[in-house]
Amino acid sequence: MRIHGMALLLAAAVTPLACAQGMQLDESTEALQENDGQGEVDEATAVDADTGTDADTEEASTGDKQLQGAATACTPGHGRACYTGLASTRDVGACSGGIEICFSDGSGYGPCEHEVLPAEETCANDIDDDCDGAVNEGCECTPGDTEPCYNGPPGTEGVGICQAGMRTCTEEGTWSPACVGEVQPSLREDLNSPYDDDCTGTPHDSLCEQNGILTCPSGNCMQVPHCSNAGGIVACAFPWECLP
C-alpha cells in the first residue's frame, strides 16, 4: 500500500511537468514556425536594403537611366568651340570662331554664338573684312583721306598762277573727281594782269604781246582777218587786235 501510494504521488508529480513541457514545446514549435516565415521575408528585405529600393523600383530606375542616356547628346551647360563659315577663313582677318552651349535637357548644342564670319570688304578700315588674306583689295583709298591733285597739262603745276588742289576719298573707297582749289592755265594771257596766266613761266608772253598788243580793255586779243580785192586778186592780212 505504501509503495502504491508513492507511485501515485510520483505519477501525479510527473504529469503536470510533462504537460508543462508539452505546452512549452508547442509554443516553441509555433514560434519557430513563425520565425521561419519571418526569416524568409527578412532575407528578401535584407537583399533589397543593400540597394535602398525594392526590386521593382530598381528595375524601373535602371530603365529610365538607359532611356535618358540614349536621348542625351551632350552634358547640359557644356560649351565647345564652333565656326559655321568656310574652314579656310577661320582665324583669318576679322573672322574668328565662337562657342555653342549644350541645352539644359542635353538634347544637343545651341547656335554658334560670338563668331565672326566673312563680310563684304569695306574701304573704311584697314581690316581684312572678307577674310581672304588681303586688306582693302579693290580700294583706291581709305574713306575720308585727302591728297593733293592736279588735272592741268603736265609741267604747268606750280608755274605762274597754276597750283594743285585737294581731293577726298569717298565712302566707296574711290577718289572724288573734284579737285578742290586747283588752278589750271588760262586759255589766254590776260594782258591786264601782271601774272603768268597761261603758266608758261613768263608773264605777258601771249601772242598778243608778241605782236605788239600790250594791253586790251577786255584783256584778250586775237588775229582778225582783213582782206582786199585788187584787180581780181584777193589779199588778206591777219593782224592781232583786241577783242571787244
Side-chain angles (χ1 to χ4, degrees):
M1 291 293 294
R2 182 176 297 178
I3 294 173
H4 181 71
M6 292 180 62
L8 291 174
L9 292 174
L10 180 60
V14 170
T15 300
L17 178 61
C19 291
Q21 289 179 349
M23 293 177 62
Q24 292 177 355
L25 181 59
D26 293 339
E27 293 177 354
S28 298
T29 302
E30 293 177 358
L32 180 59
Q33 292 176 351
E34 292 178 356
N35 290 337
D36 289 342
Q38 291 180 353
E40 293 177 359
V41 175
D42 292 342
E43 182 179 359
T45 304
V47 172
D48 295 337
D50 292 339
T51 61
T53 58
D54 57 33
D56 292 339
T57 303
E58 182 179 4
E59 182 178 357
S61 176
T62 302
D64 292 342
K65 290 180 179 178
Q66 291 176 349
L67 290 176
Q68 183 178 2
T72 299
C74 54
T75 302
H78 176 262
R80 67 179 183 182
C82 59
Y83 187 70
T84 59
L86 293 176
S88 60
T89 63
R90 186 170 187 170
D91 297 327
V92 177
C95 294
S96 61
I99 186 172
E100 55 186 11
I101 306 298
C102 181
F103 292 123
S104 59
D105 60 359
S107 60
Y109 286 92
C112 190
E113 300 178 357
H114 308 299
E115 69 175 339
V116 180
L117 297 174
E120 183 179 357
E121 190 75 16
T122 174
C123 303
N125 56 44
D126 292 326
I127 299 174
D128 179 14
D129 303 284
D130 56 5
C131 309
D132 63 352
V135 178
N136 291 349
E137 63 273 23
C139 300
E140 296 180 1
C141 52
T142 301
D145 285 355
T146 59
E147 71 172 12
C149 55
Y150 185 70
N151 299 310
T156 60
E157 180 181 353
V159 178
I161 64 171
C162 295
Q163 65 179 18
M166 295 293 293
R167 64 179 181 175
T168 303
C169 186
T170 65
E171 294 182 356
E172 291 75 26
T174 58
W175 289 111
S176 170
C179 187
V180 180
E182 76 167 338
V183 179
Q184 297 187 28
S186 175
L187 296 179
R188 293 186 178 91
E189 187 80 13
D190 185 355
L191 299 179
N192 297 324
S193 169
Y195 304 108
D196 180 13
D197 303 293
D198 55 5
C199 305
T200 61
T202 303
H204 299 290
D205 62 347
S206 67
L207 293 176
C208 291
E209 294 173 308
Q210 293 175 13
N211 287 273
I213 301 177
L214 302 180
T215 182
C216 285
S218 64
N220 296 308
C221 69
M222 65 176 297
Q223 286 180 295
V224 179
H226 293 273
C227 299
S228 62
N229 188 343
I233 299 175
V234 178
C236 294
F238 298 90
W240 287 87
E241 297 178 1
C242 288
L243 295 177

